[in-house]
Amino acid sequence: MERQRKNEERIQQILLSLSRLDYLSRSQIQYMHDLKSVRNANRVLKSMDEYLNSFRNDIEKVYYLNKKGREYIGASESKARAKTQNVGHFLTRNQLYVHLKQPRTWQNEMKLKVGDFYVMCDAKFEENGMPVFVEVDCQQHMIINKSKADKYRKLKELAGNFKFKLIWVTEIESRREKLRELSIGLPNEIYTLREIS
């Protein structure tokens, strides 16, 4: 009875993580839910087949909730996900979430608004009472990143120079310097995927 209750609890926690983060790789789920070995993680996720959809991305599977999974945790109104070419963006963002020890205040795809002006950030969380905004650079054109950085400068100006930090996470080291240049005047940190994996 106790073992069954613990299994049920673990299933719920994994489903809630997927509801919150949209897509997670096997290794991310394994780490977040302390599933020990790869073999054990695969066994647990296989037992959850009825609640999950998955596809292979590079070397491991990526999981997301199916309709039954969303209903099971009462998230049937949440956005239905599907296999996507853009999954690298989600997994990179979620790897930062894991690396930062899963901040309790983490929220994905937040609209930051001052009057009619807004910026859509990839994620937001609080660090020592200060807002931190996350932007993921998955080999998108630097002009898009420049536009984002300019919007954060304008947001800072419109909001009376309020204090925040901007975190960029990029897939490759060679993009770090350009992101640093784009972020001059903004308190920022830049991580590469290799640093946080």
Side-chain angles (χ1 to χ4, degrees):
M1 250 339 234
E2 180 63 15
R3 187 174 183 166
Q4 187 178 353
R5 186 190 63 76
K6 282 188 172 178
N7 282 345
E8 201 63 30
E9 209 171 89
R10 180 173 57 197
I11 287 170
Q12 286 177 7
Q13 291 306 311
I14 292 171
L15 295 177
L16 286 168
S17 292
L18 284 162
S19 175
R20 183 176 195 194
L21 298 169
D22 303 310
Y23 299 89
L24 288 167
S25 67
R26 187 264 314 141
S27 58
Q28 289 171 337
I29 294 170
Q30 181 181 341
Y31 179 83
M32 289 170 66
H33 295 279
D34 195 25
L35 298 180
K36 310 290 185 217
S37 68
V38 170
R39 185 176 176 186
N40 186 54
N42 287 335
R43 183 188 58 76
V44 168
L45 290 164
K46 180 73 178 153
S47 76
M48 296 173 62
D49 263 357
E50 64 182 305
Y51 306 117
L52 305 175
N53 286 335
S54 66
F55 59 92
R56 187 157 289 285
N57 182 52
D58 295 330
I59 58 169
E60 63 180 333
K61 276 190 172 181
V62 173
Y63 295 86
Y64 58 99
L65 295 179
N66 63 23
K67 185 174 188 253
K68 192 169 180 179
R70 292 193 314 276
E71 287 170 353
Y72 182 84
I73 55 167
S76 54
E77 298 301 312
S78 65
K79 186 174 180 182
R81 295 295 179 182
K83 183 176 178 179
T84 175
Q85 296 297 327
N86 198 28
V87 75
H89 179 91
F90 291 94
L91 295 179
T92 301
R93 179 197 65 199
N94 295 341
Q95 190 59 41
L96 181 67
Y97 171 76
V98 169
H99 175 77
L100 296 173
K101 311 276 190 268
Q102 305 169 51
R104 196 177 38 80
T105 55
W106 185 277
Q107 296 172 286
N108 292 330
E109 298 170 21
M110 295 298 299
K111 187 185 260 191
L112 316 169
K113 209 168 173 211
V114 177
D116 292 337
F117 180 79
Y118 74 91
V119 180
M120 192 67 135
C121 65
D122 290 323
K124 172 188 182 281
F125 66 98
E126 301 275 321
E127 184 178 75
N128 302 320
M130 183 173 70
V132 179
F133 307 127
V134 174
E135 289 297 334
V136 176
D137 166 49
C138 273
Q139 298 182 10
Q140 61 199 14
H141 295 294
M142 273 297 166
I143 193 87
I144 294 170
N145 292 333
K146 182 183 183 317
S147 172
K148 275 283 178 119
D150 290 344
K151 283 184 174 185
Y152 281 106
R153 276 192 204 83
K154 185 166 182 179
L155 180 75
K156 184 177 178 184
E157 180 189 312
L158 291 173
N161 285 322
F162 88 107
K163 291 187 179 355
F164 66 87
K165 181 166 71 175
L166 176 61
I167 292 181
W168 292 97
V169 59
T170 184
E171 289 181 313
I172 49 178
E173 178 64 37
S174 61
R175 295 175 73 90
R176 183 194 300 267
E177 196 52 46
K178 190 64 182 167
L179 290 169
R180 187 173 285 124
E181 284 173 30
L182 294 178
S183 304
I184 290 172
L186 296 169
N188 68 86
E189 287 180 39
I190 301 165
Y191 292 95
T192 62
L193 191 50
R194 187 174 180 181
E195 289 173 319
I196 63 175
S197 293

